[in-house]
């Protein structure tokens, strides 16, 4: 997640049942009365694959739409309520479409290249997404849901992420990563176009989301060591407004269909939950409130009465990045136990050792060195400071997800050890 990771070439790897992030938040377009919306989001808990869940009427811990065992991520809701999502059920990430309850599952189109981060067009006819189908960099593509060839919207050989549609369906906004920074761009949703740079700040910016009236773009910005939600004018990128504050990481904003609220993911309570704030920055409230899961990438849909979901999310947990014993930590050296641990780094240059067990490790900020140890570990880089990730013992399946820094190393999920030997 933008607060947790920036996907680059690592998106072709599995994640061992743990998805700390998934990438941009996209809501359905259209109008409805205030309060008659659901929030659809990605969720995961210790030892389980990530899946898609829904908080009915924008409240409650949420219920699962799609059961395990596969990893499903990055949900987007069409105007009719259908879902687009990314899934690794075939061994690499592809885009799938489902009906509103997660049934009638089918691929958007067949591809041997990894695809991620789908988002429906306002008319429900097309899906924009990220793919590495051509020059080795992540590009923004568009495909029709009724079939036919997909086409690339971006072409420059740098990484482009997080597409979001304008309300009229004519343009896309996205973030582009080059020279160690990320800025927002807009372009016409066509094979031939001229991208226009929207932001030029030194602070990295991700996860754009276009307001329903077309006037504003919400995004998250990394500044002073954490991510906050901002808005700026869609035409110029100027007039930036600071929407959320604090030492927490707030990311993946998504406008409500009526334009009155912004949903986002935040670690304000120690793990990631879905939060909502009014568009003017007031009325902040926690929606999912579930300490047993990490909830990410919210999107909106019009509420459907009589809706039935898969199963309620658990409220029990014995894990968490904030539950390390004092003897597990000496300065910036963080040690795991023989059990399954959730280990989080600090703002410094950490050295994290997972020990045995299926550990979930987030390096956080700083130029970290992470060693997973024995067991199948899920390891996450954070901020683009050339982290070194070591899977650990050969023969176990370790997985990783890195952020937007092109120099982060990935784990080789096929043999369980990193390309860098410990």
């Amino acid at each position: 997640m933008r607060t947790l990771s920036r996907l680059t070439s690592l998106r072709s790897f599995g994640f061992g049942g743990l998805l700390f992030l998934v990438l941009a938040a996209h809501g359905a377009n259209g109008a409805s009365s205030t309060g008659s919306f659901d929030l659809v989001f990605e969720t995961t808990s210790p030892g389980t694959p990530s899946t898609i869940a829904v908080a009915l009427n924008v409240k409650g811990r949420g219920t699962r739409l799609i059961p395990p065992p596969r990893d499903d991520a990055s949900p987007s809701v069409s105007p009719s309520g259908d879902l687009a999502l990314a899934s690794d059920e075939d061994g690499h990430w592809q885009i799938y479409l489902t009906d509103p309850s997660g049934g009638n599952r089918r691929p958007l189109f067949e591809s041997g290249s990894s695809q991620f981060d789908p988002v429906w067009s306002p008319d429900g006819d097309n899906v924009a997404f990220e793919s590495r189908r051509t020059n080795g960099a992540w590009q923004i593509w568009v495909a029709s849901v009724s079939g036919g060839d997909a086409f690339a919207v971006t072409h420059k050989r740098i990484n482009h992420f997080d597409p979001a549609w304008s309300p009229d369906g004519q343009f896309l906004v996205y973030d582009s990563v080059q020279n160690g920074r990320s800025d927002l761009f807009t372009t016409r949703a066509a094979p031939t176009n001229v991208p226009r740079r929207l932001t030029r700040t030194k602070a990295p910016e991700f996860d754009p989301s276009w307001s329903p009236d077309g006037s504003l773009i919400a995004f998250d910005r990394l500044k002073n060591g954490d991510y906050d939600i901002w808005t700026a004018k869609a035409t110029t990128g100027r007039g930036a407004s600071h929407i959320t504050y604090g030492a927490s990481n707030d990311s993946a904003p998504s406008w409500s269909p009526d334009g009155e609220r912004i949903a986002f993911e935040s670690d304000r309570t120690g793990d990631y939950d879905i939060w909502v704030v009014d568009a003017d920055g007031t009325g902040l409230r926690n929606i999912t409130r579930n300490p047993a899961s990490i909830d990410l990438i919210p999107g909106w849909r019009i509420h459907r009465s009589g809706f039935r979901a898969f199963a309620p999310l658990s409220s029990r947990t014995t894990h968490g990045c904030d539950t390390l014993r004092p003897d597990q930590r000496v300065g910036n050296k963080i040690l795991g136990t023989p059990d399954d641990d959730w280990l989080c780094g600090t703002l410094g240059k950490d050295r994290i050792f997972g020990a045995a067990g299926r550990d979930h490790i987030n390096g956080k900020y700083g130029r970290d060195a992470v060693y997973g140890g024995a067991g199948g570990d899920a390891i996450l880089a954070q901020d683009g400071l050339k982290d070194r990730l070591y899977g650990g013992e050969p023969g176990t399946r370790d997985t990783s997800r890195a952020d937007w820094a092109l120099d982060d190393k990935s784990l080789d999920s096929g043999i369980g050890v990193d390309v860098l030997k410990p």
Side-chain angles (χ1 to χ4, degrees):
M1 80 243 47
R2 314 339 141 167
T3 50
L4 283 178
S5 70
R6 171 55 37 194
L7 301 184
T8 59
S9 59
L10 309 187
R11 296 195 192 210
S12 59
F13 292 86
F15 299 104
L18 180 70
L19 283 175
F20 278 105
L21 162 85
V22 229
L23 305 185
H26 313 293
N29 293 276
S32 183
S33 60
T34 299
S36 60
F37 303 122
D38 301 332
L39 279 170
V40 179
F41 56 94
E42 176 187 336
T43 187
T44 189
S45 55
T48 65
S50 64
T51 189
I52 310 304
V54 59
L56 300 176
N57 283 316
V58 195
K59 61 184 179 181
R61 286 194 171 95
T63 53
R64 288 187 177 92
L65 282 170
I66 305 171
R70 55 203 162 208
D71 277 315
D72 289 340
S74 195
S76 173
V77 185
S78 76
S80 65
D82 288 344
L83 293 175
L85 54 89
S87 179
D88 69 345
E89 66 177 77
D90 292 328
H92 64 292
W93 290 92
Q94 295 292 295
I95 307 301
Y96 288 82
L97 308 179
T98 80
D99 63 28
S101 296
N104 189 26
R105 185 183 181 103
R106 68 274 189 197
L108 176 61
F109 64 92
E110 301 291 345
S111 173
S113 302
S114 291
Q115 332 281 353
F116 210 85
D117 212 6
V119 52
W120 288 92
S121 62
D123 59 10
D125 291 339
N126 299 289
V127 173
F129 57 95
E130 304 159 8
S131 177
R132 297 183 66 191
R133 299 180 69 189
T134 52
N135 57 19
W138 286 94
Q139 305 292 346
I140 307 301
W141 287 70
V142 171
S144 169
V145 298
S146 60
D149 293 334
F151 60 86
V153 172
T154 60
H155 307 279
K156 192 174 181 180
R157 196 169 182 175
I158 57 176
N159 287 316
H160 307 83
F161 300 112
D162 306 329
W165 294 87
S166 62
D168 62 6
Q170 299 299 306
F171 295 89
L172 287 163
V173 61
Y174 58 92
D175 48 78
S176 183
V177 180
Q178 56 183 318
N179 301 323
R181 58 182 290 170
S182 175
D183 291 301
L184 304 183
F185 287 73
T186 60
T187 192
R188 188 170 292 278
T192 303
N193 52 51
V194 180
R196 183 172 62 88
R197 190 170 188 161
L198 193 64
T199 60
R200 294 179 178 272
T201 63
K202 293 182 179 180
E205 293 150 339
F206 307 106
D207 304 325
S209 176
W210 219 308
S211 66
D213 66 3
S215 65
L216 296 173
I217 290 175
F219 55 94
D220 48 78
R221 174 181 286 170
L222 175 59
K223 192 174 183 179
N224 299 324
D226 62 78
Y227 288 79
D228 289 326
I229 306 301
W230 294 68
T231 62
K233 293 181 179 179
T235 53
T236 64
R238 298 176 181 175
S241 296
H242 203 165
I243 303 300
T244 66
Y245 296 84
S248 60
N249 290 301
D250 304 332
S251 57
S254 177
W255 289 91
S256 63
D258 57 12
E260 296 184 3
R261 292 169 287 176
I262 299 173
F264 60 96
E265 62 193 30
S266 177
D267 63 354
R268 292 167 177 264
T269 56
D271 72 320
Y272 273 83
D273 287 322
I274 305 302
W275 291 68
V276 168
V277 67
D278 293 343
D280 62 0
T282 63
L284 180 69
R285 50 207 178 275
N286 185 195
I287 302 300
T288 55
R289 301 184 301 279
N290 188 6
S293 66
I294 294 174
D295 303 329
L296 306 166
I297 312 176
W300 299 80
R301 73 172 189 190
I302 296 174
H303 177 68
R304 294 169 175 266
S305 61
F307 176 80
R308 297 177 63 86
F310 173 64
L313 301 178
S314 170
S315 61
R316 292 186 60 222
T317 182
T318 57
H319 298 73
C321 292
D322 55 346
T323 59
L324 298 178
R325 299 195 312 270
D327 61 346
Q328 288 181 270
R329 190 165 173 169
V330 181
N332 283 336
K333 180 182 288 184
I334 300 172
L335 306 176
T337 71
D339 299 319
D340 298 353
D341 303 309
W342 280 24
L343 307 177
C344 281
T346 69
L347 295 180
K349 298 178 181 179
D350 302 311
R351 301 295 179 264
I352 305 177
F353 303 88
R358 295 185 58 191
D359 305 314
H360 306 293
I361 302 173
N362 175 17
K364 288 286 186 179
Y365 304 99
R367 192 167 296 175
D368 307 314
V370 178
Y371 180 80
D377 306 310
I379 298 176
L380 178 68
Q382 175 70 31
D383 53 11
L385 294 180
K386 297 182 181 179
D387 303 306
R388 293 172 175 262
L389 310 180
Y390 304 120
E393 303 292 334
T396 59
R397 182 180 174 87
D398 304 305
T399 59
S400 73
R401 176 176 275 188
D403 52 14
W404 53 270
L406 304 184
D407 292 318
D408 281 348
K409 303 298 183 181
S410 72
L411 299 174
D412 184 339
S413 60
I415 60 175
V417 294
D418 196 304
V419 293
L420 292 175
K421 302 300 181 183

